Amino acid sequence: KQEVTQIPAALSVPEGENLVLNCSFTDSAIYNLQWFRQDPGKGLTSLLLIQSSQREQTSGRLNASLDKSSGRSTLYIAASQPGDSATYLCAVWGNTGKLIFGQGTTLQVKP
Amino acid sequence: GAGVSQSPSNKVTEKGKDVELRCDPISGHTALYWYRQSLGQGLEFLIYFQGNSAPDKSGLPSDRFSAERTGGSVSTLTIQRTQQEDSAVYLCASSISRASGANVLTFGAGSRLTVL
């Protein structure tokens, strides 16, 4: 059974700091991995999708890496801003045909 | 509409009552998913519809939970005889096809259910 774990559960950083969010998964037989952002009271916004054959994806100040063999992914946020404050969720697609989510990392960026 | 629409956005009910939550997916999206997010938890898969195929109900936590999708579009999640542990945000998502590749899910804002 696929299990997804995210560390840390919560993170508070000053504005401008670079930071790394971690995600690990137990079954390396995945099709892809996605990072989502969730703002309070709102749905999920897809940030980055990494196919199983890829090592990383970049979008603006965000960079996500994937090491499928070790079951790990990281989301790197450069030059963090208060507007980055949200919960970040990692999810993997496996052969069950559904996304399996981690519990999320709640990020607070202080001005 | 442009996105996935869910209603109601908030629902407070008494223990033992039945509730219905509605999801209106993006037009043309054949796949529809229901997830549940309890306080401080990640998203828990509940049920998945793909076109006219039989739904994948493997995530439904008990027989009090059921869902249907009429005409391949709107879906309703029904919880009978609600319990306090059913309190959560229920999220719906849709995609163009069975998302085992590059397709991404578009999520609604969710329905927050509180069972007193």
Side-chain angles (χ1 to χ4, degrees), chain B residues 57-80:
Chain B
K57 304 179 181 179
S58 60
L60 295 179
S62 78
D63 59 7
R64 296 186 295 105
F65 288 72
S66 63
E68 61 178 20
R69 189 177 184 191
T70 55
S73 181
V74 173
S75 177
T76 302
L77 177 68
T78 301
I79 309 173
Q80 296 178 310

mmCIF file of all heavy atoms in Angstrom, chain B residues 57-80:
data_model
loop_
_atom_site.group_PDB
_atom_site.id
_atom_site.type_symbol
_atom_site.label_atom_id
_atom_site.label_comp_id
_atom_site.label_asym_id
_atom_site.label_seq_id
_atom_site.Cartn_x
_atom_site.Cartn_y
_atom_site.Cartn_z
ATOM 1 N N LYS B 57 -15.187 2.395 -5.771
ATOM 2 C CA LYS B 57 -15.708 2.803 -4.471
ATOM 3 C C LYS B 57 -14.786 2.384 -3.322
ATOM 4 O O LYS B 57 -15.198 2.415 -2.158
ATOM 5 C CB LYS B 57 -17.085 2.176 -4.226
ATOM 6 C CG LYS B 57 -18.119 2.460 -5.294
ATOM 7 C CD LYS B 57 -19.427 1.772 -4.958
ATOM 8 C CE LYS B 57 -20.475 2.003 -6.021
ATOM 9 N NZ LYS B 57 -21.744 1.313 -5.706
ATOM 10 N N SER B 58 -13.576 2.007 -3.650
ATOM 11 C CA SER B 58 -12.713 1.366 -2.655
ATOM 12 C C SER B 58 -12.378 2.246 -1.459
ATOM 13 O O SER B 58 -11.965 1.741 -0.419
ATOM 14 C CB SER B 58 -11.423 0.890 -3.324
ATOM 15 O OG SER B 58 -10.727 1.979 -3.905
ATOM 16 N N GLY B 59 -12.543 3.564 -1.592
ATOM 17 C CA GLY B 59 -12.200 4.459 -0.495
ATOM 18 C C GLY B 59 -13.351 4.836 0.422
ATOM 19 O O GLY B 59 -13.132 5.494 1.446
ATOM 20 N N LEU B 60 -14.543 4.431 0.100
ATOM 21 C CA LEU B 60 -15.681 4.801 0.945
ATOM 22 C C LEU B 60 -15.522 4.147 2.314
ATOM 23 O O LEU B 60 -15.349 2.941 2.416
ATOM 24 C CB LEU B 60 -16.999 4.379 0.303
ATOM 25 C CG LEU B 60 -17.360 5.085 -1.007
ATOM 26 C CD1 LEU B 60 -18.674 4.547 -1.558
ATOM 27 C CD2 LEU B 60 -17.446 6.590 -0.803
ATOM 28 N N PRO B 61 -15.588 4.947 3.398
ATOM 29 C CA PRO B 61 -15.268 4.420 4.726
ATOM 30 C C PRO B 61 -16.328 3.507 5.329
ATOM 31 O O PRO B 61 -16.000 2.711 6.208
ATOM 32 C CB PRO B 61 -15.090 5.681 5.573
ATOM 33 C CG PRO B 61 -15.885 6.724 4.873
ATOM 34 C CD PRO B 61 -15.822 6.402 3.426
ATOM 35 N N SER B 62 -17.564 3.616 4.906
ATOM 36 C CA SER B 62 -18.624 2.757 5.439
ATOM 37 C C SER B 62 -19.801 2.759 4.481
ATOM 38 O O SER B 62 -19.838 3.527 3.522
ATOM 39 C CB SER B 62 -19.068 3.267 6.816
ATOM 40 O OG SER B 62 -19.925 4.389 6.688
ATOM 41 N N ASP B 63 -20.770 1.870 4.747
ATOM 42 C CA ASP B 63 -21.935 1.798 3.857
ATOM 43 C C ASP B 63 -22.876 2.979 4.054
ATOM 44 O O ASP B 63 -23.908 3.077 3.382
ATOM 45 C CB ASP B 63 -22.679 0.464 4.036
ATOM 46 C CG ASP B 63 -23.150 0.255 5.461
ATOM 47 O OD1 ASP B 63 -23.027 1.182 6.294
ATOM 48 O OD2 ASP B 63 -23.636 -0.854 5.747
ATOM 49 N N ARG B 64 -22.536 3.873 4.969
ATOM 50 C CA ARG B 64 -23.348 5.102 5.099
ATOM 51 C C ARG B 64 -23.021 6.094 3.993
ATOM 52 O O ARG B 64 -23.758 7.043 3.776
ATOM 53 C CB ARG B 64 -23.106 5.753 6.462
ATOM 54 C CG ARG B 64 -23.541 4.916 7.652
ATOM 55 C CD ARG B 64 -23.403 5.688 8.946
ATOM 56 N NE ARG B 64 -22.017 6.019 9.276
ATOM 57 C CZ ARG B 64 -21.474 7.232 9.141
ATOM 58 N NH1 ARG B 64 -22.215 8.244 8.686
ATOM 59 N NH2 ARG B 64 -20.218 7.440 9.476
ATOM 60 N N PHE B 65 -21.903 5.861 3.324
ATOM 61 C CA PHE B 65 -21.461 6.755 2.259
ATOM 62 C C PHE B 65 -21.825 6.159 0.897
ATOM 63 O O PHE B 65 -21.606 4.966 0.654
ATOM 64 C CB PHE B 65 -19.944 6.946 2.309
ATOM 65 C CG PHE B 65 -19.461 7.788 3.440
ATOM 66 C CD1 PHE B 65 -19.469 7.319 4.745
ATOM 67 C CD2 PHE B 65 -18.963 9.067 3.207
ATOM 68 C CE1 PHE B 65 -19.020 8.104 5.804
ATOM 69 C CE2 PHE B 65 -18.499 9.859 4.248
ATOM 70 C CZ PHE B 65 -18.531 9.373 5.541
ATOM 71 N N SER B 66 -22.355 6.995 0.022
ATOM 72 C CA SER B 66 -22.638 6.572 -1.346
ATOM 73 C C SER B 66 -22.498 7.776 -2.257
ATOM 74 O O SER B 66 -22.539 8.926 -1.806
ATOM 75 C CB SER B 66 -24.046 5.973 -1.461
ATOM 76 O OG SER B 66 -25.028 6.951 -1.155
ATOM 77 N N ALA B 67 -22.307 7.509 -3.525
ATOM 78 C CA ALA B 67 -22.193 8.606 -4.486
ATOM 79 C C ALA B 67 -22.743 8.148 -5.818
ATOM 80 O O ALA B 67 -22.703 6.962 -6.140
ATOM 81 C CB ALA B 67 -20.743 9.066 -4.640
ATOM 82 N N GLU B 68 -23.262 9.095 -6.561
ATOM 83 C CA GLU B 68 -23.713 8.802 -7.908
ATOM 84 C C GLU B 68 -23.323 9.948 -8.823
ATOM 85 O O GLU B 68 -23.059 11.063 -8.374
ATOM 86 C CB GLU B 68 -25.224 8.578 -7.945
ATOM 87 C CG GLU B 68 -26.058 9.758 -7.513
ATOM 88 C CD GLU B 68 -27.546 9.453 -7.623
ATOM 89 O OE1 GLU B 68 -27.924 8.266 -7.659
ATOM 90 O OE2 GLU B 68 -28.326 10.417 -7.686
ATOM 91 N N ARG B 69 -23.283 9.620 -10.085
ATOM 92 C CA ARG B 69 -22.975 10.630 -11.087
ATOM 93 C C ARG B 69 -23.998 10.488 -12.201
ATOM 94 O O ARG B 69 -24.029 9.485 -12.910
ATOM 95 C CB ARG B 69 -21.559 10.434 -11.638
ATOM 96 C CG ARG B 69 -21.125 11.592 -12.527
ATOM 97 C CD ARG B 69 -19.713 11.432 -13.015
ATOM 98 N NE ARG B 69 -19.318 12.613 -13.775
ATOM 99 C CZ ARG B 69 -18.215 12.686 -14.501
ATOM 100 N NH1 ARG B 69 -17.395 11.656 -14.570
ATOM 101 N NH2 ARG B 69 -17.920 13.802 -15.153
ATOM 102 N N THR B 70 -24.823 11.491 -12.346
ATOM 103 C CA THR B 70 -25.927 11.428 -13.292
ATOM 104 C C THR B 70 -25.511 12.028 -14.631
ATOM 105 O O THR B 70 -24.941 13.128 -14.689
ATOM 106 C CB THR B 70 -27.142 12.181 -12.745
ATOM 107 O OG1 THR B 70 -26.755 13.511 -12.413
ATOM 108 C CG2 THR B 70 -27.676 11.496 -11.503
ATOM 109 N N GLY B 71 -25.800 11.293 -15.709
ATOM 110 C CA GLY B 71 -25.537 11.798 -17.049
ATOM 111 C C GLY B 71 -24.080 12.079 -17.318
ATOM 112 O O GLY B 71 -23.747 12.861 -18.219
ATOM 113 N N GLY B 72 -23.206 11.447 -16.549
ATOM 114 C CA GLY B 72 -21.779 11.651 -16.759
ATOM 115 C C GLY B 72 -21.294 13.038 -16.394
ATOM 116 O O GLY B 72 -20.186 13.434 -16.773
ATOM 117 N N SER B 73 -22.106 13.777 -15.626
ATOM 118 C CA SER B 73 -21.704 15.137 -15.286
ATOM 119 C C SER B 73 -21.749 15.340 -13.772
ATOM 120 O O SER B 73 -20.836 14.941 -13.068
ATOM 121 C CB SER B 73 -22.580 16.153 -16.008
ATOM 122 O OG SER B 73 -22.179 17.466 -15.699
ATOM 123 N N VAL B 74 -22.836 15.908 -13.278
ATOM 124 C CA VAL B 74 -22.963 16.249 -11.866
ATOM 125 C C VAL B 74 -22.906 14.998 -10.988
ATOM 126 O O VAL B 74 -23.454 13.946 -11.341
ATOM 127 C CB VAL B 74 -24.276 17.006 -11.619
ATOM 128 C CG1 VAL B 74 -24.517 17.213 -10.137
ATOM 129 C CG2 VAL B 74 -24.271 18.337 -12.353
ATOM 130 N N SER B 75 -22.217 15.145 -9.850
ATOM 131 C CA SER B 75 -22.133 14.042 -8.895
ATOM 132 C C SER B 75 -22.668 14.482 -7.535
ATOM 133 O O SER B 75 -22.510 15.643 -7.144
ATOM 134 C CB SER B 75 -20.688 13.568 -8.747
ATOM 135 O OG SER B 75 -20.584 12.541 -7.773
ATOM 136 N N THR B 76 -23.281 13.537 -6.831
ATOM 137 C CA THR B 76 -23.769 13.788 -5.479
ATOM 138 C C THR B 76 -23.174 12.756 -4.540
ATOM 139 O O THR B 76 -23.239 11.561 -4.804
ATOM 140 C CB THR B 76 -25.302 13.698 -5.414
ATOM 141 O OG1 THR B 76 -25.870 14.645 -6.316
ATOM 142 C CG2 THR B 76 -25.803 13.985 -4.012
ATOM 143 N N LEU B 77 -22.579 13.242 -3.457
ATOM 144 C CA LEU B 77 -22.070 12.374 -2.391
ATOM 145 C C LEU B 77 -23.077 12.438 -1.249
ATOM 146 O O LEU B 77 -23.397 13.525 -0.765
ATOM 147 C CB LEU B 77 -20.704 12.847 -1.928
ATOM 148 C CG LEU B 77 -20.070 12.082 -0.763
ATOM 149 C CD1 LEU B 77 -19.702 10.662 -1.183
ATOM 150 C CD2 LEU B 77 -18.831 12.803 -0.245
ATOM 151 N N THR B 78 -23.590 11.282 -0.845
ATOM 152 C CA THR B 78 -24.590 11.211 0.212
ATOM 153 C C THR B 78 -24.007 10.507 1.428
ATOM 154 O O THR B 78 -23.386 9.446 1.302
ATOM 155 C CB THR B 78 -25.846 10.466 -0.269
ATOM 156 O OG1 THR B 78 -26.388 11.148 -1.404
ATOM 157 C CG2 THR B 78 -26.889 10.416 0.833
ATOM 158 N N ILE B 79 -24.196 11.131 2.579
ATOM 159 C CA ILE B 79 -23.786 10.518 3.844
ATOM 160 C C ILE B 79 -25.050 10.338 4.675
ATOM 161 O O ILE B 79 -25.731 11.312 5.011
ATOM 162 C CB ILE B 79 -22.771 11.389 4.603
ATOM 163 C CG1 ILE B 79 -21.606 11.782 3.694
ATOM 164 C CG2 ILE B 79 -22.256 10.625 5.828
ATOM 165 C CD1 ILE B 79 -20.649 12.779 4.322
ATOM 166 N N GLN B 80 -25.350 9.096 4.989
ATOM 167 C CA GLN B 80 -26.544 8.797 5.784
ATOM 168 C C GLN B 80 -26.184 8.679 7.254
ATOM 169 O O GLN B 80 -25.071 8.274 7.610
ATOM 170 C CB GLN B 80 -27.163 7.484 5.300
ATOM 171 C CG GLN B 80 -27.683 7.537 3.874
ATOM 172 C CD GLN B 80 -28.247 6.200 3.416
ATOM 173 O OE1 GLN B 80 -27.596 5.166 3.558
ATOM 174 N NE2 GLN B 80 -29.455 6.212 2.887
#
